[in-house]
Amino acid sequence: MLHLRLITPADRTDDVVRLIEKTVGTTHLVVLPGAARNPAGDVVMCDVAREAGDELIGGLRELELDKTGSIAVEDIDLSLSKRADKAEAEAPGEGADAVLWEHLADASHEESTLSVTYVALLAVATMLAACGVMLDNAILIVGAMAVGPEFGPLAGISTALVRRVPHLVWRSLWALLAGFAVAMVLTAGFSWLLDSLGLFEKSMVEAPRPNTAFIWKPDWMSFVVAFLAGIAGTLSLTSAKSGALIGVAISVTTVPAAANAAVALSYTDYSQMWGSTWQLLANLGGIVLAGTLTLLLQKWFWAKQRVHSTAG
């Protein structure tokens, strides 16, 4: 269940209440006239089944409540109510399958910002992966994958493509490309520093490294794994099961590929550099394609659910 707290102008409250009452899957409606001070207006609260949440939020935005008042949405961890159970039973579909497009757009927009924290995390992850590839240490590679924040912009690109918002596509793409560029430059500098300290050496790059050689030897399986990870990651975001994102992070080699490309460049090993670059691009492309197709399928599925619900 979702809990909505709305601030409505007094002349819009009746319209808002009517919308809530006619939306299947809502309950626990509360109206507090004149309770809001900033902005001034009435406070309206209700609970809604997750599977009906997107329809209700969309209707509230059509009433321009996001411009004239406020729409706040939060998850309810526990609700002991027969009315809530009835509302969930009446709503079409299953809550675990529901997509809250406004929440997804907001979350992906926030994660797609080229912030200092985002770049710092990506740079640290890439440096950690550089240590992993130089030492041929799979544990360090996995750790670097888990730290990398690159799935946010990738999800942002997919979401913006499905919602047809070109400027958000470019925003996410800029965060992705600029973030990796800065991280790789810093990692190349990090590699030179460790070389001067005697911790890295060229022979480590030229060594066989059986545990991590796949990073600069891309094949179709690299794309397949990235595609499957993109599906899993998108489903975890849309269903609010964020725990699955860790599994997604450690199943693709975006950060390790960027790290190996940076290290190889620092030692002028252009063969490994280009191989790692293609690995990186294959992973990024696979995730974006999978995320976009998954969102399109979910959008189609919920459109069908609404048609069946209306017909019933």
Side-chain angles (χ1 to χ4, degrees):
M1 293 288 289
L2 302 172
H3 177 69
L4 272 64
R5 186 187 72 249
L6 315 172
I7 297 179
T8 74
D11 60 346
R12 293 287 181 91
T13 301
D14 289 342
D15 293 334
V16 170
V17 170
R18 277 194 294 269
L19 173 63
I20 294 172
E21 289 178 335
K22 77 175 185 180
T23 301
V24 177
T26 59
T27 188
H28 303 156
L29 176 61
V30 176
V31 180
L32 303 174
R37 294 293 180 267
N38 183 21
D42 303 332
V43 174
V44 178
M45 295 181 287
C46 72
D47 296 340
V48 59
R50 182 180 175 85
E51 52 268 42
D54 189 64
E55 178 184 358
L56 178 55
I57 294 170
L60 293 170
R61 294 200 67 178
E62 289 179 4
L63 292 174
E64 297 188 335
L65 199 61
D66 54 323
K67 299 176 181 178
T68 60
S70 169
I71 304 172
V73 185
E74 58 186 2
D75 284 303
I76 300 176
D77 294 327
L78 177 64
S79 179
L80 303 177
S81 167
K82 288 185 177 180
R83 289 182 177 273
D85 294 340
K86 183 174 182 293
E88 287 189 314
E90 291 174 346
E94 295 293 333
D97 298 329
V99 181
L100 295 177
W101 290 99
E102 297 299 336
H103 178 269
L104 180 62
D106 184 68
S108 59
H109 180 273
E110 182 179 349
E111 294 293 328
S112 302
T113 302
L114 187 63
S115 64
V116 173
T117 301
Y118 166 78
V119 174
L121 278 173
L122 189 55
V124 169
T126 309
M127 292 178 193
L128 184 60
C131 295
V133 296
M134 292 295 278
L135 298 173
D136 196 32
N137 189 314
I139 295 176
L140 290 177
I141 293 295
V142 171
M145 291 177 179
V147 172
E150 72 278 9
F151 191 81
L154 291 169
I157 293 172
S158 296
T159 303
L161 286 172
V162 173
R163 292 172 64 87
R164 300 179 183 179
V165 188
H167 74 277
L168 292 182
V169 174
W170 292 114
R171 175 192 176 97
S172 299
L173 188 61
W174 168 246
L176 188 69
L177 297 181
F180 267 113
V182 172
M184 292 170 72
V185 168
L186 292 176
T187 300
F190 174 73
S191 176
W192 287 327
L193 174 62
L194 292 194
D195 182 83
S196 66
L197 295 175
L199 298 175
F200 280 5
E201 55 186 45
K202 190 171 184 179
S203 62
M204 298 170 73
V205 176
E206 298 171 344
R209 292 184 284 164
N211 293 324
T212 56
F214 67 93
I215 291 172
W216 66 89
K217 297 178 180 179
D219 53 25
W220 278 106
M221 280 306 300
S222 301
F223 181 83
V224 170
V225 170
F227 189 85
L228 294 175
I231 295 174
T234 303
L235 290 174
S236 71
L237 283 179
T238 56
S239 65
K241 296 184 182 298
S242 58
L245 282 177
I246 296 298
V248 172
I250 62 177
S251 62
V252 291
T253 53
T254 48
V255 166
N260 199 73
V263 171
L265 177 63
S266 69
Y267 284 109
T268 65
D269 188 332
Y270 300 117
S271 176
Q272 281 198 41
M273 183 196 74
W274 286 115
S276 301
T277 301
W278 281 114
Q279 178 76 273
L280 175 61
L281 293 176
N283 277 267
L284 296 179
I287 292 173
V288 170
L289 178 61
T292 303
L293 292 177
T294 301
L295 289 175
L296 285 172
L297 284 172
Q298 288 179 295
K299 189 174 183 179
W300 173 83
F301 173 78
W302 277 101
K304 287 286 187 181
Q305 289 281 3
R306 287 180 181 176
V307 170
H308 289 321
S309 175
T310 303

